[in-house]
Amino acid sequence: MENASQDTLTQGELAAYAASVVVAGASTALVMVNLDVAPLVVVAAAILVFSGTATLAFVGVTDAGGTLATAFAAALLVAARFGLLGIPLSQRFQGRPWKERVLVAFPLLDAAVAMCFRESTAEAGRRSYVRTARVSYSSWVTGVTVGVLLGSLIPDPKALGMDVAFPALLLATAGGVARQSSGLAVTGLIAAAIALITTPFTPAGLPVLLAVLASAMGFRATPATAESTT
């Protein structure tokens, strides 16, 4: 009988994921450096905040002349999706020590949650989540540091296609999760449709939040397969 704690996440998948996160981190850092954000602030944000979208939302608003309060609200709006992602994730960590739950809450991000729910058991899901989260954090900080060091050598990351590396990986991850359950596949399609429909007439970041809310509701509604909760 296969060990219930053994996840299906391979070293090859982790390596590909790490590479995409490094590229995404470097791209984000390059954007911020070219907006004249102090390199030390960029690296500190990577280490302490660990949210490229929220950081870019904050910088984008301030660079456009917005107030600090407005910039903070924009960053908070974008980052709010992580709280919604925590709703289904809590199922997999239910009953675990509170210290463990606090630790896994910090590196909460889309890909790690997707990897977690790709597994058929709660124990394997927790292991996959932790492995992905560790790679995410270390690769993100590494990528941001590389981007800061490159500085103005690459004035336009989009010209090299660096901005699409991470979204492409997330799409591939979502496809892997969808193959595990028709219910999750339908939930993903509905969430994507909501994001596409609301993008033209809602503020930046809100379509993502609406899509994540739909996904969270879908996770809650999807009957759990026979899985271990230990």
Side-chain angles (χ1 to χ4, degrees):
M1 181 177 179
E2 186 178 354
N3 187 350
S5 66
Q6 186 63 44
D7 59 76
T8 61
L9 188 59
T10 67
Q11 290 299 321
E13 289 175 321
L14 277 177
Y17 176 65
S20 71
V21 175
V22 168
V23 171
S27 179
T28 301
L30 285 168
V31 170
M32 295 177 68
V33 168
N34 279 279
L35 289 175
D36 295 325
V37 180
L40 184 59
V41 173
V42 177
V43 175
I47 296 173
L48 301 176
V49 180
F50 188 43
S51 176
T53 51
T55 303
L56 287 175
F58 184 91
V59 173
V61 172
T62 55
D63 184 64
T67 64
L68 288 177
T70 304
F72 180 78
L76 188 62
L77 178 66
V78 174
R81 76 182 191 276
F82 297 121
L84 296 176
L85 285 172
I87 296 174
L89 185 66
S90 64
Q91 298 175 354
R92 288 282 165 110
F93 286 89
Q94 186 174 9
R96 304 300 297 174
W98 70 268
K99 292 182 179 179
E100 178 182 347
R101 285 180 278 135
V102 169
L103 286 175
V104 300
F106 176 70
L108 177 65
L109 74 165
D110 317 71
V113 174
M115 294 297 188
C116 177
F117 278 93
R118 189 177 73 168
E119 308 299 337
S120 60
T121 68
E123 190 172 359
R126 290 193 295 269
R127 177 179 168 84
S128 184
Y129 176 86
V130 170
R131 293 178 65 200
T132 305
R134 286 174 177 170
V135 169
S136 298
Y137 187 75
S138 59
S139 300
W140 178 255
V141 174
T142 298
V144 168
T145 303
V146 170
V148 167
L149 293 176
L150 288 175
S152 59
L153 295 178
I154 305 178
D156 186 11
K158 292 182 180 180
L160 300 179
M162 296 175 70
D163 57 317
V164 302
F166 194 60
L169 182 82
L170 285 180
L171 184 61
T173 300
V177 174
R179 285 194 294 271
Q180 306 298 315
S181 166
S182 58
L184 294 180
V186 172
T187 297
L189 289 174
I190 293 174
I194 290 173
L196 288 173
I197 292 171
T198 57
T199 293
F201 55 85
T202 56
L206 187 57
V208 176
L209 290 176
L210 294 174
V212 170
L213 178 60
S215 298
M217 294 174 63
F219 275 128
R220 297 283 289 183
T222 301
T225 55
E227 62 174 31
S228 167
T229 58
T230 58

